Amino acid sequence: MTDEIELPGEVTLLWGLRETVRRGRKPSLTVADITRAAVEVADAEGLAAVSMARVAAQLGNSTMALYRYVKSKDELLLLMSDAALDGPPDLPDGLDWRTGLTLWARSLLKVLQRHPWTVQIPISGPPVGPNNLWWFDRALRALGDTGLDEEDKVGVVMGLLTFVHGELRLSTELSKGYAENPEAFGRQYGKALARVVDAQRFPALGKVIAAGVFEGEVPYDEEVEGEFGLGLFLDGVAAFIERRAAGQG
């Protein structure tokens, strides 16, 4: 017999298990309606524009009407972060783990790029929403034939999730900066560093500058940069799997 626990408020909210107090006429709103409107506002105006009042205006309702379903802006952000995720990609049977995780990571990044504001939402705990858990499950499935134990699989997936979120934030901000001033990413940057960097104080960086790494006018390409980082991460996973298979820590 298992001990029953009271579900946390965020779980009941995200899974539609919360009872809503209803008075008078049949409600004209649902949690899904409110979440959809909030996502629309964030997509069009940015996360900073999202407030209970702004979402209420988007729906043509009063602000107080929203509080019958969503208790706070924090709860609204929680709903939005889960709703922003479409379904994960299908991973055919027999797909090797590296191909599966590559497909998973690329697909997640593509989904989140449609809603870049997601990386601005604070993360206060592990994934609990249905869409987040759907993606979590699919990544764990990709590691099914690796021989890793369940705890190790979770560690790999959480690490990859951290990489994807970091890549999204960097690519979004760097792409914006490149569009505004592309010269700051090429020879101009190299010349500026060459003037201020003391090779004795920054010996490793000094070698990079002396090698002329920053002297080219190579356009910033977020896709190329992302693939390079993803490849390095997965190389590390491959080495980790080999160590585990050999009985090493």
Side-chain angles (χ1 to χ4, degrees):
M1 182 177 179
T2 59
D3 295 330
E4 291 188 3
I5 62 169
E6 183 178 351
L7 291 174
E10 61 267 25
V11 175
T12 60
L13 174 68
L14 288 165
W15 287 85
L17 302 175
R18 177 182 294 179
E19 293 184 6
T20 303
V21 177
R22 298 182 178 180
R23 301 185 182 90
R25 296 179 301 174
K26 181 179 180 181
S28 59
L29 286 176
T30 66
V31 171
D33 293 332
I34 295 169
T35 305
R36 190 180 307 111
V39 170
E40 290 173 355
V41 172
D43 285 344
E45 304 171 26
L47 189 64
V50 176
S51 67
M52 299 295 275
R54 177 65 185 85
V55 174
Q58 183 81 359
L59 290 164
N61 276 268
S62 68
T63 304
M64 291 307 299
L66 270 61
Y67 283 104
R68 295 175 60 186
Y69 307 88
V70 181
K71 295 179 180 179
S72 65
K73 182 178 177 180
D74 286 343
E75 286 197 346
L76 182 61
L77 294 177
L78 191 64
L79 288 163
M80 292 170 63
S81 66
D82 197 63
L85 293 176
D86 296 329
D90 291 327
L91 301 181
D93 293 335
L95 200 65
D96 67 274
W97 71 265
R98 185 169 186 134
T99 303
L101 286 186
T102 299
L103 176 60
W104 184 90
R106 288 173 178 168
S107 299
L108 180 57
L109 186 59
K110 186 176 181 179
V111 167
L112 294 178
Q113 283 173 336
R114 295 200 291 267
H115 310 287
W117 44 265
T118 54
V119 295
Q120 300 173 30
I121 296 179
I123 299 175
S124 58
V128 294
N131 287 340
N132 274 277
L133 291 180
W134 194 7
W135 280 85
F136 192 29
D137 176 81
R138 194 59 55 85
L140 291 170
R141 177 184 171 186
L143 292 166
D145 295 329
T146 58
L148 295 176
D149 63 30
E150 304 310 312
E151 185 175 357
D152 283 342
K153 292 175 187 175
V154 170
V156 169
V157 174
M158 294 305 294
L160 182 54
L161 184 61
T162 300
F163 167 79
V164 171
H165 275 259
E167 178 60 27
L168 174 64
R169 181 166 187 172
L170 282 175
S171 64
T172 299
E173 295 179 359
L174 288 175
S175 292
K176 182 179 179 181
Y178 182 78
E180 294 174 351
N181 184 14
E183 293 183 0
F185 285 69
R187 188 173 292 113
Q188 182 184 94
Y189 176 69
K191 289 181 177 179
L193 288 187
R195 290 191 60 181
V196 300
V197 170
D198 181 349
Q200 291 186 334
R201 183 180 179 186
F202 304 103
L205 181 56
K207 289 180 180 179
V208 171
I209 295 171
V213 173
F214 302 125
E215 291 181 3
E217 294 293 346
V218 180
Y220 172 71
D221 189 324
E222 62 183 80
E223 184 173 347
V224 171
E225 296 290 338
E227 286 295 314
F228 179 72
L230 177 59
L232 289 180
F233 179 88
L234 295 178
D235 286 346
V237 174
F240 177 69
I241 292 172
E242 289 182 5
R243 290 200 305 273
R244 282 292 194 250
Q248 302 172 1

